[in-house]
Amino acid sequence: MAKSRTTSITCKKKKSIVKLKIVVEKLKKSLLCGRSKSSVSNCDDTKNVSEDVKEGHFAVIAVDGDEPKRFVVALSYLTHPTFLKLLEQAAEEYGFDHEGAITIPCPPSELEKILHDDQQWQEEERLV
């Protein structure tokens, strides 16, 4: 019985990881399409990246009720555990077929805290 439960949990984790990899790949593809000046297969020229989104970054909209706020986030956050959990929640709530900025179900103040805490951690790591 315990082995069956462990197997079930492992399967759920694997499915979550696969879903997350799909989200990351779609994000990378959309960023590539938005940045490309030449024609790239499967890219639509109507998909434009906003001027404030620099290379190596992507746009995220944190939504909590009627309080949406847009952030420009570095691609390095795609490996940040807390940010990955937010992406999983976004995939569950909004699905994968989405154009433009990624919408995540998170209060903007909470995302600001995640981004700020991670910047402090990265600075401390550079000093060591």
Side-chain angles (χ1 to χ4, degrees):
M1 179 80 172
K3 188 174 183 178
S4 175
R5 184 171 182 218
T6 304
T7 304
S8 175
I9 292 171
T10 303
C11 288
K12 286 181 183 179
K13 285 183 180 181
K14 286 181 181 179
K15 286 180 183 179
S16 293
I17 290 170
V18 169
K19 286 180 182 179
L20 187 57
K21 284 183 179 182
I22 292 169
V23 169
V24 170
E25 287 304 314
K26 285 189 175 195
L27 177 61
K28 286 180 182 177
K29 184 177 177 183
S30 71
L31 291 172
L32 175 65
C33 291
R35 290 281 178 211
S36 176
K37 299 290 182 197
S38 62
S39 63
V40 177
S41 62
N42 298 328
C43 291
D44 182 358
D45 287 341
T46 61
K47 294 180 187 176
N48 294 321
V49 177
S50 182
E51 293 287 324
D52 66 332
V53 180
K54 299 175 186 168
E55 189 169 338
H57 293 74
F58 60 100
V60 174
I61 298 174
V63 178
D64 183 35
D66 293 333
E67 186 191 349
K69 185 171 180 185
R70 187 173 176 273
F71 296 86
V72 177
V73 180
L75 288 174
S76 62
Y77 281 94
L78 293 175
T79 59
H80 189 281
T82 306
F83 192 79
L84 289 174
K85 288 180 184 176
L86 289 174
L87 286 178
E88 286 177 4
Q89 290 174 359
E92 288 175 12
E93 189 162 330
Y94 304 116
F96 291 109
D97 193 20
H98 183 71
E99 290 184 22
I102 297 172
T103 304
I104 55 173
C106 171
S109 59
E110 184 65 27
L111 183 56
E112 284 175 352
K113 183 179 183 310
I114 292 167
L115 298 176
H116 182 264
D117 288 350
D118 188 60
Q119 286 174 350
Q120 286 181 334
W121 175 79
Q122 287 178 355
E123 289 172 12
E124 290 172 7
E125 286 294 309
R126 283 188 216 130
L127 295 174
V128 174

